[in-house]
């Protein structure tokens, strides 16, 4: 299942926390034991502060269902 990407910022005038709604939805699906988590991150991002990695660690504590993919290697210079 392809889920929406995680976001952090609220849009001006937004009456609900869209970032939290998306995170809750992604966590709910990632927590299902028979699903594989494909965690796609850009090479330019710091893994220590990446919210997708943090969510994958919460949903898959043993790391047995999580695959990491690093994209945009050519931009990491």
């Amino acid at each position: 299942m392809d889920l929406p990407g995680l976001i952090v910022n609220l849009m001006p005038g937004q009456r609900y926390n869209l970032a939290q709604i998306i995170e809750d939805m992604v966590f709910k699906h990632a927590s299902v034991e028979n699903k594989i988590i494909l965690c796609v991150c850009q090479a330019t991002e710091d893994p220590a502060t990446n919210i997708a990695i943090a969510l994958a660690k919460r949903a898959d504590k043993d790391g047995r269902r999580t695959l990491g993919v690093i994209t945009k290697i050519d931009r990491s210079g």
Side-chain angles (χ1 to χ4, degrees):
M1 176 179 297
D2 187 9
L3 296 169
L6 299 169
I7 59 173
V8 263
N9 298 336
L10 291 175
M11 300 298 288
Q14 194 171 328
R15 291 181 287 191
Y16 53 88
N17 189 341
L18 184 59
Q20 189 61 54
I21 291 169
I22 292 171
E23 184 175 329
D24 291 345
M25 179 180 57
V26 170
F27 183 75
K28 175 184 169 188
H29 288 283
S31 296
V32 177
E33 289 297 318
N34 66 345
K35 292 194 178 174
I36 293 181
I37 302 167
L38 184 62
C39 193
V40 181
C41 303
Q42 294 182 26
T44 56
E45 294 178 9
D46 181 2
T49 60
N50 186 291
I51 58 175
I53 293 172
L55 187 136
K57 286 180 181 179
R58 267 186 26 227
D60 180 25
K61 293 184 186 344
D62 297 334
R64 293 176 180 228
R65 301 179 296 115
T66 302
L67 293 172
V69 176
I70 301 174
T71 63
K72 301 180 182 176
I73 296 290
D74 59 324
R75 297 186 188 177
S76 65

